[in-house]
Amino acid sequence: MTPHLTEDDLLLHYYGETDPSREGIVAAHLGACAECRASLVGLERLLAMVNSGVDVDLPQTFERDIWRRLAPHVVRPHASVLWSTVLTPRWLAWGAAAAGVVLAVLLVVQLRLHGPSPRKAADEGPHRAPATADVFRERVLLADLENHFERSEMMLVELVNTSHYTPAEIQREQARAEDLLAANRLYRQTAANVGNAPVAHVLEELERLLVDVAASSPTAAAADLEVLGRRTESQSLIFKVRVLSRSTDRGFEGPSTQG
Amino acid sequence: MALSDAAVVALARDGDSEAFRALVERHGRAVFRLAHRMTGSRTDAEDIVQETFIRAYRQLSRFESRASFGTWIHRIAMNCTIDLLRSRGSYHEAAYDDELLKEPSIQQTVPRAPSPERLILSREVKDAVQNAMGALSPLERSAFVLRHFEGRSHEEIGEALGLGTSATKHSIFRAVRKMRVVLAPFVES
C-alpha cells in the first residue's frame, strides 16, 4: 500500500483538485486505507461544520437599512423631488422654527437698540399693557439667546480642557457643534443686519470654530479637535462668549472690545 | 414575473433609483455574507456592502449585460474587502511553518470537549466556528473563503490576493489546519 495521504492531499481531493497524475493513486489508497478514509470523513465533517456556523443572522430590515445608507450616494433628486422633500411637515416645522428665531433676534436687537429698556418699561406699570407684553417676550427671547451663549461656552470650555478624545467624545462634540451652528448662523446674520458689529464679530469667530469642529475628518478628528482647542484658547473666544452671555443676562449690550 | 437582473440593470443605468434599489435588495445579503466571511466583522461587512454598491453604481455603464450581475457584484465586493484588509496593514501571509500551529494563542482557543447535550446547541458550534475563523490571518481567511465558499480556483484566488498558486494553496492548507485544531473537540465527538 502507498504511504498515507497527507491532510493537504485530502483537501485537494475534497475540492477535486488533485493533480491528474496522482488522482489514481489517491483514489486507490482511499479504497484500501480505512485510516485515510476516516481522516477524509473528519475533514468533511469539519468543513460541514464551518458551512453551518460561519454566517450571522441578519435582521429582516437588513435591505432597508442598507438602502438607507446607500440612498444619499446613489439617488440624485431632481427639482420636483427636492421641493417635495423640502415641503414635508418636518422640514416646514424646521423652517418655521428658524424663521421664528430670526424674528426673535431681530426683535430683541431692535428693542435693545431703539426701544425702551425692560426695566424702564416695567417701571411704567400695568397700564402700559403692550409694553409689558413686549418686555415679557423680550425676556423670553433674551433667555433663549443667553442659553445659546451658555451652551457655546460649555462646548468651548470642554474643547480647551480635553486633551485625548475618544471616538464617542468626538461624535458628541461634532453633533453638538452642528446643533449650535444653525442657531449661531441666524444670530450672527441678524446681529450683522441690525448693525451690532461687536456681537456679529464674536458670533462669526464662534461660527468658524463650530464649522471646523463639525467638519473635522473622522480619521484625524481627535488631533483636529485638540488643535481647535488651542485655537479657541489663543483667540480668547471663551472670554468673549462669556462676556456676551453676561451682557445678554443684563440686557444685551455686547462686548465693548474686540480682539 | 420579476424582471431579470439584466433588465433591472438597464433601468438602473437610465437613472431609475428604484431599479438600483431592487438590485441592492436582491444581492445585498450575498454581498454581506461574503464580506462577513472574509473579515469576521459585522461592521466591516456593512461598510463593504455600502462601498460595493457605490462602486457598482458608478461602474454600471461598464457592466456587460451578458455577464451575471451576481458574479460581477461579488467580484467588486471581493475587491472592496481585499482593499479594506490591505489598508489595515494586517494583510501579510504568515510563513508556512507548522510550528505556528502550536502557538499558545491558537492552542488557547481550543475549547474543552463538549458534552453531547452541548453539541446540539448550534449556538455553541457557531461560536466555535467564529472562533476558529478568527484564529486565521486575514490572508488565510480570504483564501479559504474564496476557495471554500466562492468556489474560486487557486489561480483566481492568487490573482485576487496577489499570490502565486503555490502560496495560495498553502494559505488554504494552513487555514484548514488551524480550524481543525480549534474545532477538533466538536468534530471528534
Side-chain angles (χ1 to χ4, degrees):
Chain A
M1 193 166 68
T2 52
H4 284 304
L5 299 175
T6 65
E7 197 173 16
D8 299 350
D9 287 333
L10 292 172
L11 191 64
L12 288 172
H13 176 76
Y14 176 86
Y15 287 131
E17 289 169 334
T18 305
D19 189 288
S21 66
R22 276 185 50 79
E23 262 175 17
I25 300 167
V26 170
H29 184 89
L30 279 172
C33 177
E35 197 180 331
C36 285
R37 274 202 308 278
S39 297
L40 181 62
V41 169
L43 177 67
E44 287 167 351
R45 289 182 67 185
L46 169 76
L47 294 174
M49 186 178 285
V50 171
N51 289 345
S52 69
V54 71
D55 292 326
V56 290
D57 298 327
L58 290 174
Q60 286 193 333
T61 58
F62 173 78
E63 284 79 7
R64 202 174 58 213
D65 296 341
I66 288 295
W67 182 249
R68 196 177 300 137
R69 291 178 63 172
L70 267 172
H73 301 276
V74 301
V75 177
R76 280 168 293 188
H78 43 77
S80 59
V81 174
L82 195 63
W83 277 113
S84 65
T85 305
V86 169
L87 292 176
T88 58
R90 183 168 164 264
W91 282 104
L92 285 173
W94 276 106
V101 172
V102 172
L103 286 173
V105 176
L106 271 173
L107 182 65
V108 170
V109 177
Q110 291 295 359
L111 278 172
R112 280 288 144 211
L113 287 175
H114 308 296
S117 78
R119 206 176 305 279
K120 189 182 169 194
D123 288 344
E124 283 176 8
H127 59 280
R128 291 284 307 273
T132 308
D134 283 347
V135 168
F136 176 73
R137 195 179 305 120
E138 183 186 346
R139 286 202 179 284
V140 170
L141 298 173
L142 282 172
D144 199 32
L145 261 179
E146 191 187 355
N147 180 264
H148 174 72
F149 289 133
E150 278 176 359
R151 288 174 63 213
S152 302
E153 187 184 332
M154 276 167 57
M155 201 201 101
L156 295 176
V157 168
E158 280 190 24
L159 200 57
V160 168
N161 293 326
T162 309
S163 52
H164 299 291
Y165 285 93
T166 63
E169 285 170 334
I170 291 168
Q171 277 191 338
R172 193 194 60 206
E173 289 304 318
Q174 289 183 322
R176 190 143 66 139
E178 272 174 5
D179 189 24
L180 288 168
L181 192 55
N184 195 81
R185 219 167 249 149
L186 293 169
Y187 291 136
R188 192 254 306 154
Q189 283 168 354
T190 308
N193 288 344
V194 299
N196 194 332
V199 173
H201 179 78
V202 175
L203 288 172
E204 194 181 332
E205 272 185 64
L206 180 59
E207 190 174 314
R208 278 201 294 268
L209 188 89
L210 292 172
V211 166
D212 288 347
V213 172
S216 53
S217 74
T219 49
D224 285 350
L225 291 184
E226 283 165 32
V227 169
L228 292 173
R230 288 197 290 278
R231 194 173 100 195
T232 306
E233 209 165 14
S234 69
Q235 293 177 342
S236 310
L237 197 50
I238 295 177
F239 173 70
K240 293 173 193 169
V241 170
R242 194 171 289 151
V243 169
L244 270 184
S245 182
R246 304 293 178 272
S247 303
T248 310
D249 191 25
R250 291 195 309 270
F252 203 41
E253 291 145 15
S256 56
T257 55
Q258 293 182 26
Chain B
M1 198 176 85
L3 286 175
S4 68
D5 272 358
V8 179
V9 168
L11 290 171
R13 264 187 193 151
D14 290 339
D16 184 338
S17 60
E18 281 306 309
F20 191 72
R21 181 177 187 162
L23 292 170
V24 173
E25 287 177 352
R26 285 182 191 184
H27 299 277
R29 280 179 190 252
V31 169
F32 177 91
R33 260 199 311 274
L34 169 65
H36 182 261
R37 286 168 178 172
M38 286 178 77
T39 63
S41 157
R42 199 178 188 120
T43 311
D44 285 346
E46 284 171 358
D47 290 345
I48 289 164
V49 172
Q50 181 176 347
E51 179 62 21
T52 297
F53 280 102
I54 290 172
R55 283 193 199 179
Y57 182 78
R58 290 177 184 153
Q59 296 172 11
L60 266 185
S61 59
R62 287 193 236 160
F63 171 70
E64 290 181 25
S65 41
R66 284 172 298 167
S68 149
F69 183 80
T71 306
W72 186 66
I73 199 82
H74 251 60
R75 186 167 298 124
I76 296 176
M78 186 178 80
N79 290 335
C80 284
T81 310
I82 291 169
D83 288 350
L84 177 85
L85 294 172
R86 279 201 178 117
S87 73
R88 298 251 166 94
S90 58
Y91 202 64
H92 308 296
E93 188 182 20
Y96 183 58
D97 178 1
D98 282 342
E99 284 303 305
L100 278 179
L101 289 168
K102 294 172 189 161
E103 279 178 355
S105 61
I106 293 174
Q107 295 293 345
Q108 280 164 7
T109 59
V110 178
R112 62 195 166 84
S115 64
E117 292 79 18
R118 288 170 66 204
L119 262 182
I120 60 169
L121 298 172
S122 63
R123 182 68 259 167
E124 215 168 312
V125 173
K126 239 177 163 56
D127 287 348
V129 171
Q130 301 287 343
N131 200 7
M133 296 282 282
L136 309 181
S137 75
L139 193 69
E140 290 162 350
R141 188 176 179 129
S142 299
F144 172 73
V145 167
L146 292 176
R147 177 68 204 87
H148 185 72
F149 292 106
E150 299 295 305
R152 305 280 168 148
S153 70
H154 293 137
E155 289 73 20
E156 284 178 300
I157 299 167
E159 194 182 328
L161 302 181
L163 297 175
T165 305
S166 174
T168 303
K169 276 187 194 175
H170 286 317
S171 292
I172 298 167
F173 292 156
R174 281 180 58 78
V176 174
R177 275 185 215 165
K178 283 185 179 179
M179 288 192 293
R180 186 176 53 73
V181 171
V182 177
L183 294 172
F186 292 93
V187 175
E188 283 158 15
S189 55

